Amino acid sequence: MDRLMDLTAYMVRKIKSMPDKFHLILEPECVNVSFWYVSTRLRPMPHGKEKEKLLGEITPVLKGRMMQAGTLMVGYQPDDRRPNFFRNIISSAAVTEVDVDFLLTEMDRLGHDL
Ligand SMILES: NCCCC(=O)O
């Protein structure tokens, strides 16, 4: 479990280091990391309800692209305050920092033009 928590903290640090591309929604609860991917056209917009609506719209499109590419599987969901957002769960100690780096790079590769 310590390893999973360390990897979760690593993912959060990486997300925070790229605030143009990723928006962390909450500090992680256990191994859950909730975030939006921010595509290139949405990066200049100030964060607010209108931007959240657009982020919620691109989330399932990016998920579809992940499934088509067959490279990633990250779940998404809305909650009572927010439209769809990604919720990544690191549940295997076989996951490495390289995998986390790949996940974030691949999301940007697949989603930058949304
Ligand atoms: N109907 C929501 C599906 C969420 C997901 O694919 O992760």
Side-chain angles (χ1 to χ4, degrees), residues 8 26 72 75 83 89 102 104-105:
T8 301
L26 300 167
L72 294 176
I89 300 170
F102 174 78
L104 298 174
T105 301

Side-chain angles (χ1 to χ4, degrees), residues 83-99:
N84 288 318
F85 56 86
F86 287 108
R87 187 161 72 95
N88 191 67
I89 300 170
I90 300 176
S91 58
S92 165
V95 174
T96 68
E97 284 81 356
V98 172
D99 297 318

Side-chain angles (χ1 to χ4, degrees), residues 63 74-76:
K63 172 72 187 260
V74 181
Y76 70 89

Side-chain angles (χ1 to χ4, degrees), residues 47-99:
H47 197 85
K49 286 291 166 201
E50 181 56 26
K51 184 168 180 175
E52 290 188 357
K53 177 173 170 290
L54 296 169
L55 292 169
E57 288 171 7
I58 69 167
T59 294
V61 181
L62 178 50
K63 172 72 187 260
R65 289 184 179 186
M66 291 177 191
M67 301 305 284
Q68 287 269 328
T71 47
L72 294 176
M73 199 155 81
V74 181
Y76 70 89
Q77 62 180 71
D79 68 12
D80 55 348
R81 280 178 291 168
R82 303 168 188 89
N84 288 318
F85 56 86
F86 287 108
R87 187 161 72 95
N88 191 67
I89 300 170
I90 300 176
S91 58
S92 165
V95 174
T96 68
E97 284 81 356
V98 172
D99 297 318

